[in-house]
Amino acid sequence: MPHFLTLAGLSATSLTELLDASAAYKRARPHAAAPWLAGKHVALVMEKASTRTRVGFEVAVRELGGHATVITTEGSQLGRGEPVEDTARVLGRFCHAVVYRTFGDERLQRMATSAAVPVINALTDREHPCQIVADLLTVREHLGTLDVRYAWIGDGNNVAVSWLHAAAVFKLTLTLACPAGYHPDPDVVADARAAGATIEVVADPVLAARGADVIMTDVWASMGQEDEARARAEAFAGYLVDDGLFLEASGRAIALHCLPAHRGEEISASVLDGPRGAAVWDQAENRMHSHKAILELALTGRAHGP
Ligand code: CP
Ligand code: NVA
Protein backbone atom coordinates (compact mmCIF):
# COMPACT_ATOMS: atom_id res chain seq x y z
CA MET A 1 0.00 0.00 0.00
CA PRO A 2 1.62 3.30 -1.03
CA HIS A 3 0.97 5.20 2.19
CA PHE A 4 2.50 8.65 2.68
CA LEU A 5 3.58 8.49 6.32
CA THR A 6 7.06 10.00 6.36
CA LEU A 7 9.72 11.64 4.22
CA ALA A 8 12.33 9.29 5.70
CA GLY A 9 13.71 6.97 3.06
CA LEU A 10 12.19 8.78 0.06
CA SER A 11 14.58 9.03 -2.86
CA ALA A 12 15.67 12.45 -4.12
CA THR A 13 14.04 11.53 -7.42
CA SER A 14 10.61 10.83 -5.92
CA LEU A 15 10.66 13.89 -3.66
CA THR A 16 11.69 16.02 -6.65
CA GLU A 17 8.81 14.48 -8.63
CA LEU A 18 6.48 15.40 -5.80
CA LEU A 19 7.72 19.01 -5.85
CA ASP A 20 7.48 19.21 -9.64
CA ALA A 21 3.93 17.84 -9.55
CA SER A 22 3.00 20.30 -6.78
CA ALA A 23 4.34 23.19 -8.87
CA ALA A 24 2.45 21.91 -11.91
CA TYR A 25 -0.81 21.72 -9.95
CA LYS A 26 -0.19 25.28 -8.76
CA ARG A 27 0.39 26.57 -12.29
CA ALA A 28 -2.67 24.76 -13.60
CA ARG A 29 -5.12 25.94 -10.97
CA PRO A 30 -8.00 25.87 -11.38
CA HIS A 31 -8.80 25.32 -15.07
CA ALA A 32 -6.54 22.44 -15.99
CA ALA A 33 -7.00 20.59 -12.71
CA ALA A 34 -7.38 17.00 -13.81
CA PRO A 35 -10.46 15.44 -12.18
CA TRP A 36 -8.70 12.10 -11.70
CA LEU A 37 -10.18 11.83 -8.22
CA ALA A 38 -13.75 11.90 -9.61
CA GLY A 39 -16.01 9.47 -7.84
CA LYS A 40 -13.49 8.92 -5.05
CA HIS A 41 -13.91 9.74 -1.38
CA VAL A 42 -11.22 10.82 1.09
CA ALA A 43 -11.68 10.74 4.86
CA LEU A 44 -9.89 13.48 6.80
CA VAL A 45 -9.56 12.25 10.38
CA MET A 46 -8.50 15.11 12.62
CA GLU A 47 -7.72 14.24 16.25
CA LYS A 48 -6.09 17.66 16.69
CA ALA A 49 -7.04 21.15 15.54
CA SER A 50 -6.20 22.14 11.97
CA THR A 51 -6.84 24.99 9.58
CA ARG A 52 -4.34 24.72 6.71
CA THR A 53 -4.10 20.94 6.53
CA ARG A 54 -7.82 20.36 6.83
CA VAL A 55 -8.98 23.06 4.40
CA GLY A 56 -5.99 22.48 2.12
CA PHE A 57 -6.94 18.82 1.73
CA GLU A 58 -10.67 19.57 1.43
CA VAL A 59 -10.07 22.04 -1.41
CA ALA A 60 -7.46 19.81 -3.06
CA VAL A 61 -9.79 16.79 -3.07
CA ARG A 62 -12.66 18.89 -4.35
CA GLU A 63 -10.63 20.45 -7.16
CA LEU A 64 -9.45 17.01 -8.23
CA GLY A 65 -13.08 15.94 -8.57
CA GLY A 66 -13.35 13.92 -5.36
CA HIS A 67 -15.26 14.31 -2.13
CA ALA A 68 -13.74 14.85 1.32
CA THR A 69 -15.40 13.99 4.62
CA VAL A 70 -13.94 15.41 7.81
CA ILE A 71 -14.30 13.63 11.13
CA THR A 72 -12.96 14.84 14.44
CA THR A 73 -12.49 13.05 17.73
CA GLU A 74 -15.45 14.74 19.41
CA GLY A 75 -17.75 14.28 16.43
CA SER A 76 -17.01 10.60 15.91
CA GLN A 77 -16.89 7.37 17.90
CA LEU A 78 -13.12 7.88 18.30
CA GLY A 79 -14.05 10.26 21.10
CA ARG A 80 -15.97 7.47 22.82
CA GLY A 81 -13.04 5.10 22.63
CA GLU A 82 -13.63 3.16 19.39
CA PRO A 83 -10.26 1.58 18.54
CA VAL A 84 -8.33 3.16 15.69
CA GLU A 85 -8.20 -0.27 14.00
CA ASP A 86 -11.99 -0.55 13.85
CA THR A 87 -12.29 3.02 12.60
CA ALA A 88 -9.65 2.26 9.96
CA ARG A 89 -11.40 -0.89 8.74
CA VAL A 90 -14.70 0.90 8.30
CA LEU A 91 -13.25 4.04 6.67
CA GLY A 92 -11.35 1.78 4.29
CA ARG A 93 -14.67 0.22 3.18
CA PHE A 94 -16.21 3.64 2.48
CA CYS A 95 -13.29 5.73 1.26
CA HIS A 96 -10.36 5.52 -1.16
CA ALA A 97 -7.82 7.22 1.15
CA VAL A 98 -7.51 8.39 4.74
CA VAL A 99 -5.70 11.58 5.76
CA TYR A 100 -4.92 11.28 9.47
CA ARG A 101 -3.76 13.83 12.08
CA THR A 102 -3.14 12.28 15.46
CA PHE A 103 -0.92 12.18 18.57
CA GLY A 104 1.49 9.24 18.91
CA ASP A 105 3.05 7.89 15.75
CA GLU A 106 1.85 4.41 16.72
CA ARG A 107 -1.77 5.48 16.12
CA LEU A 108 -0.80 6.47 12.58
CA GLN A 109 0.88 3.09 12.09
CA ARG A 110 -2.23 1.31 13.38
CA MET A 111 -4.43 3.29 10.96
CA ALA A 112 -2.08 2.41 8.09
CA THR A 113 -2.03 -1.27 9.01
CA SER A 114 -5.81 -1.61 9.25
CA ALA A 115 -7.28 0.78 6.67
CA ALA A 116 -6.73 -1.25 3.45
CA VAL A 117 -6.49 2.09 1.57
CA PRO A 118 -3.62 4.62 1.37
CA VAL A 119 -3.08 6.63 4.54
CA ILE A 120 -1.49 10.11 4.53
CA ASN A 121 0.20 11.51 7.64
CA ALA A 122 -1.37 14.90 8.32
CA LEU A 123 0.83 15.41 11.44
CA THR A 124 1.74 13.34 14.44
CA ASP A 125 3.68 14.26 17.57
CA ARG A 126 6.73 12.96 15.73
CA GLU A 127 6.49 14.13 12.09
CA HIS A 128 4.73 16.51 9.71
CA PRO A 129 5.81 15.36 6.23
CA CYS A 130 3.08 17.15 4.20
CA GLN A 131 4.24 20.45 5.65
CA ILE A 132 7.78 20.04 4.42
CA VAL A 133 6.72 19.30 0.83
CA ALA A 134 5.10 22.76 0.80
CA ASP A 135 8.11 24.29 2.56
CA LEU A 136 10.54 22.90 -0.03
CA LEU A 137 8.33 24.14 -2.85
CA THR A 138 8.34 27.60 -1.25
CA VAL A 139 12.14 27.67 -0.97
CA ARG A 140 12.44 26.64 -4.61
CA GLU A 141 10.03 29.40 -5.65
CA HIS A 142 11.71 32.14 -3.61
CA LEU A 143 15.38 31.22 -3.93
CA GLY A 144 15.39 29.21 -7.16
CA THR A 145 17.16 26.22 -5.64
CA LEU A 146 17.06 23.95 -2.59
CA ASP A 147 20.84 24.08 -2.31
CA VAL A 148 20.93 26.89 0.27
CA ARG A 149 21.76 27.21 3.97
CA TYR A 150 18.92 26.44 6.38
CA ALA A 151 18.51 27.46 10.02
CA TRP A 152 15.91 26.07 12.41
CA ILE A 153 15.36 28.14 15.57
CA GLY A 154 13.51 26.73 18.59
CA ASP A 155 11.97 23.36 19.35
CA GLY A 156 13.35 20.16 17.80
CA ASN A 157 9.76 19.10 17.21
CA ASN A 158 7.71 17.22 14.60
CA VAL A 159 8.29 19.85 11.90
CA ALA A 160 12.04 19.91 12.65
CA VAL A 161 12.18 16.10 12.40
CA SER A 162 10.51 16.12 8.99
CA TRP A 163 12.96 18.85 7.92
CA LEU A 164 15.81 16.57 9.01
CA HIS A 165 14.30 13.82 6.86
CA ALA A 166 14.20 16.23 3.89
CA ALA A 167 17.78 17.29 4.62
CA ALA A 168 18.78 13.64 4.42
CA VAL A 169 16.99 13.15 1.09
CA PHE A 170 18.61 16.19 -0.56
CA LYS A 171 21.87 16.31 1.48
CA LEU A 172 21.04 19.80 2.73
CA THR A 173 22.98 22.05 5.12
CA LEU A 174 20.80 22.65 8.18
CA THR A 175 21.79 24.15 11.53
CA LEU A 176 19.31 23.85 14.38
CA ALA A 177 19.46 26.16 17.40
CA CYS A 178 17.62 24.47 20.27
CA PRO A 179 17.84 24.87 24.03
CA ALA A 180 19.05 21.93 26.12
CA GLY A 181 16.29 19.38 26.53
CA TYR A 182 14.56 20.34 23.29
CA HIS A 183 16.94 18.91 20.70
CA PRO A 184 15.55 16.81 17.85
CA ASP A 185 15.74 13.03 18.14
CA PRO A 186 19.50 12.24 18.00
CA ASP A 187 18.85 9.13 15.89
CA VAL A 188 17.17 11.29 13.24
CA VAL A 189 20.14 13.69 13.32
CA ALA A 190 22.57 10.77 13.01
CA ASP A 191 20.61 9.26 10.11
CA ALA A 192 20.57 12.61 8.27
CA ARG A 193 24.33 12.96 8.71
CA ALA A 194 24.87 9.38 7.56
CA ALA A 195 22.82 10.13 4.44
CA GLY A 196 25.14 13.02 3.57
CA ALA A 197 23.34 16.03 5.06
CA THR A 198 25.39 18.64 6.95
CA ILE A 199 23.61 18.98 10.29
CA GLU A 200 24.67 21.02 13.31
CA VAL A 201 22.73 21.34 16.55
CA VAL A 202 23.78 24.40 18.55
CA ALA A 203 22.40 26.41 21.45
CA ASP A 204 22.91 29.90 20.06
CA PRO A 205 20.34 31.15 17.48
CA VAL A 206 22.92 33.64 16.15
CA LEU A 207 25.25 30.78 15.21
CA ALA A 208 22.46 29.05 13.31
CA ALA A 209 21.29 32.22 11.57
CA ARG A 210 24.76 33.34 10.47
CA GLY A 211 24.81 33.21 6.67
CA ALA A 212 21.49 31.36 6.50
CA ASP A 213 19.22 31.78 3.48
CA VAL A 214 16.15 30.28 5.16
CA ILE A 215 15.33 30.87 8.84
CA MET A 216 12.57 28.61 10.11
CA THR A 217 10.74 28.41 13.39
CA ASP A 218 7.57 26.99 14.92
CA VAL A 219 5.51 27.32 18.09
CA TRP A 220 7.25 26.59 21.38
CA ALA A 221 4.42 24.36 22.64
CA SER A 222 2.96 22.04 20.03
CA MET A 223 -0.54 20.59 20.14
CA GLY A 224 -0.73 18.20 23.08
CA GLN A 225 1.98 20.09 25.01
CA GLU A 226 -0.29 22.80 26.42
CA ASP A 227 0.55 21.77 30.01
CA GLU A 228 4.24 22.47 29.31
CA ALA A 229 3.63 25.95 27.89
CA ARG A 230 5.00 27.85 30.88
CA ALA A 231 8.20 25.79 31.18
CA ARG A 232 8.71 25.97 27.45
CA ALA A 233 8.28 29.76 27.39
CA GLU A 234 11.15 29.96 29.89
CA ALA A 235 13.34 27.51 28.01
CA PHE A 236 12.81 29.25 24.67
CA ALA A 237 13.31 32.85 25.88
CA GLY A 238 16.01 34.18 23.56
CA TYR A 239 14.86 32.04 20.62
CA LEU A 240 12.79 34.77 18.97
CA VAL A 241 13.20 35.13 15.20
CA ASP A 242 13.36 38.91 14.80
CA ASP A 243 14.99 41.55 12.63
CA GLY A 244 18.17 41.35 14.70
CA LEU A 245 18.56 37.68 13.87
CA PHE A 246 18.06 38.42 10.18
CA LEU A 247 21.03 40.84 10.35
CA GLU A 248 23.14 37.67 10.76
CA ALA A 249 21.58 35.97 7.74
CA SER A 250 22.32 36.29 4.04
CA GLY A 251 20.92 39.31 2.21
CA ARG A 252 18.30 37.19 0.43
CA ALA A 253 17.17 35.29 3.53
CA ILE A 254 13.49 34.40 3.93
CA ALA A 255 11.52 33.33 7.00
CA LEU A 256 9.41 30.17 7.04
CA HIS A 257 6.79 29.30 9.66
CA CYS A 258 4.27 26.48 9.27
CA LEU A 259 1.66 28.53 11.22
CA PRO A 260 -0.22 29.14 13.42
CA ALA A 261 2.29 31.73 14.74
CA HIS A 262 2.53 33.56 18.04
CA ARG A 263 3.84 37.03 17.24
CA GLY A 264 6.32 38.18 19.88
CA GLU A 265 7.05 34.62 21.06
CA GLU A 266 8.85 32.55 18.42
CA ILE A 267 8.67 35.19 15.65
CA SER A 268 8.36 38.98 15.74
CA ALA A 269 5.46 40.74 14.03
CA SER A 270 7.96 42.80 12.04
CA VAL A 271 9.45 39.64 10.50
CA LEU A 272 6.19 37.79 9.95
CA ASP A 273 4.33 40.77 8.53
CA GLY A 274 7.35 42.26 6.72
CA PRO A 275 9.22 41.37 3.52
CA ARG A 276 11.18 38.52 5.15
CA GLY A 277 7.92 36.86 6.17
CA ALA A 278 6.21 37.19 2.78
CA ALA A 279 7.22 33.62 1.97
CA VAL A 280 5.18 32.33 4.93
CA TRP A 281 1.91 33.08 3.15
CA ASP A 282 3.10 31.36 -0.02
CA GLN A 283 4.19 28.46 2.19
CA ALA A 284 0.64 28.23 3.58
CA GLU A 285 -0.91 28.40 0.09
CA ASN A 286 1.51 25.75 -1.14
CA ARG A 287 0.05 23.28 1.32
CA MET A 288 -3.02 22.95 -0.90
CA HIS A 289 -1.10 22.57 -4.16
CA SER A 290 1.25 19.99 -2.70
CA HIS A 291 -1.66 18.07 -1.15
CA LYS A 292 -2.84 17.33 -4.69
CA ALA A 293 0.53 15.83 -5.56
CA ILE A 294 0.67 13.86 -2.30
CA LEU A 295 -2.83 12.45 -2.94
CA GLU A 296 -1.76 11.46 -6.45
CA LEU A 297 1.38 9.76 -5.16
CA ALA A 298 -0.53 7.88 -2.46
CA LEU A 299 -3.43 6.83 -4.70
CA THR A 300 -1.59 6.06 -7.94
CA GLY A 301 2.01 5.41 -6.91
CA ARG A 302 3.40 8.35 -8.95
CA ALA A 303 2.94 12.12 -8.82
CA HIS A 304 2.69 13.40 -12.39
CA GLY A 305 0.65 16.56 -11.87
CA PRO A 306 -2.33 17.61 -13.97
N1 CP B 1 0.77 24.12 9.33
C1 CP B 1 -0.30 23.39 9.66
O1 CP B 1 -0.27 22.15 9.64
O2 CP B 1 -1.40 24.11 9.97
P1 CP B 1 -2.76 23.56 10.56
O3 CP B 1 -2.46 23.05 11.95
O4 CP B 1 -3.67 24.74 10.59
O5 CP B 1 -3.27 22.45 9.70
N1 NVA C 1 4.57 21.77 15.88
C1 NVA C 1 3.22 22.23 15.69
C2 NVA C 1 2.89 22.28 14.24
C3 NVA C 1 1.51 22.78 13.94
C4 NVA C 1 1.20 22.77 12.47
C5 NVA C 1 2.27 21.30 16.41
O1 NVA C 1 2.47 20.07 16.34
O2 NVA C 1 1.34 21.78 17.05
Side-chain angles (χ1 to χ4, degrees):
M1 190 65 61
H3 301 302
F4 185 80
L5 305 181
T6 179
L7 297 183
L10 274 189
S11 68
T13 304
S14 55
L15 190 47
T16 301
E17 264 182 22
L18 202 48
L19 295 175
D20 290 346
S22 305
Y25 277 118
K26 184 171 186 174
R27 281 193 302 274
R29 192 189 188 219
H31 307 292
W36 58 263
L37 207 52
K40 297 223 161 45
H41 297 265
V42 178
L44 309 182
V45 183
M46 294 291 171
E47 294 183 358
K48 290 173 173 171
S50 175
T51 298
R52 281 143 287 271
T53 310
R54 173 187 164 157
V55 180
F57 268 109
E58 282 193 78
V59 173
V61 169
R62 189 76 190 175
E63 289 193 355
L64 292 171
H67 183 84
T69 300
V70 180
I71 67 170
T72 60
T73 306
E74 301 73 30
S76 72
Q77 300 291 4
L78 283 165
R80 297 180 59 249
E82 184 167 19
V84 67
E85 288 81 1
D86 294 358
T87 307
R89 287 164 74 176
V90 174
L91 292 178
R93 301 275 181 119
F94 296 153
C95 300
H96 300 86
V98 176
V99 175
Y100 189 28
R101 171 168 286 197
T102 187
F103 291 85
D105 217 57
E106 43 79 36
R107 286 181 71 80
L108 176 73
Q109 302 301 332
R110 287 161 59 195
M111 178 71 85
T113 302
S114 301
V117 294
V119 173
I120 294 171
N121 180 358
L123 179 147
T124 63
D125 293 344
R126 181 178 165 78
E127 298 182 37
H128 195 3
C130 293
Q131 178 69 53
I132 278 59
V133 180
D135 295 5
L136 292 165
L137 180 62
T138 309
V139 172
R140 231 171 57 164
E141 287 174 350
H142 278 259
L143 301 178
T145 173
L146 295 177
D147 189 17
V148 298
R149 296 175 67 87
Y150 297 84
W152 176 272
I153 312 293
D155 191 14
N157 64 13
N158 44 7
V159 178
V161 162
S162 285
W163 258 104
L164 283 162
H165 290 152
V169 172
F170 288 130
K171 304 185 187 344
L172 302 177
T173 299
L174 168 60
T175 303
L176 303 100
C178 311
Y182 297 97
H183 286 203
D185 182 340
D187 290 340
V188 177
V189 172
D191 288 349
R193 286 180 178 146
T198 303
I199 308 294
E200 298 286 343
V201 185
V202 299
D204 185 355
V206 169
L207 281 181
R210 197 163 285 160
D213 302 298
V214 180
I215 298 184
M216 307 182 280
T217 189
D218 188 11
V219 293
W220 292 341
S222 286
M223 291 180 279
Q225 297 172 336
E226 289 77 8
D227 292 352
E228 302 171 28
R230 187 186 293 245
R232 285 172 166 270
E234 279 174 26
F236 290 106
Y239 285 77
L240 169 72
V241 173
D242 61 7
D243 293 307
L245 203 60
F246 268 94
L247 290 176
E248 306 290 336
S250 80
R252 62 176 180 168
I254 59 170
L256 291 184
H257 191 309
C258 62
L259 302 175
H262 298 86
R263 289 172 177 78
E265 289 186 23
E266 75 275 3
I267 191 165
S268 71
S270 60
V271 168
L272 185 57
D273 300 319
R276 304 290 202 181
V280 170
W281 311 101
D282 295 327
Q283 179 188 8
E285 177 190 331
N286 284 340
R287 295 297 309 280
M288 192 271 293
H289 305 300
S290 53
H291 289 166
K292 291 178 180 173
I294 291 166
L295 283 162
E296 192 186 3
L297 176 67
L299 279 138
T300 73
R302 284 291 292 274
H304 295 285

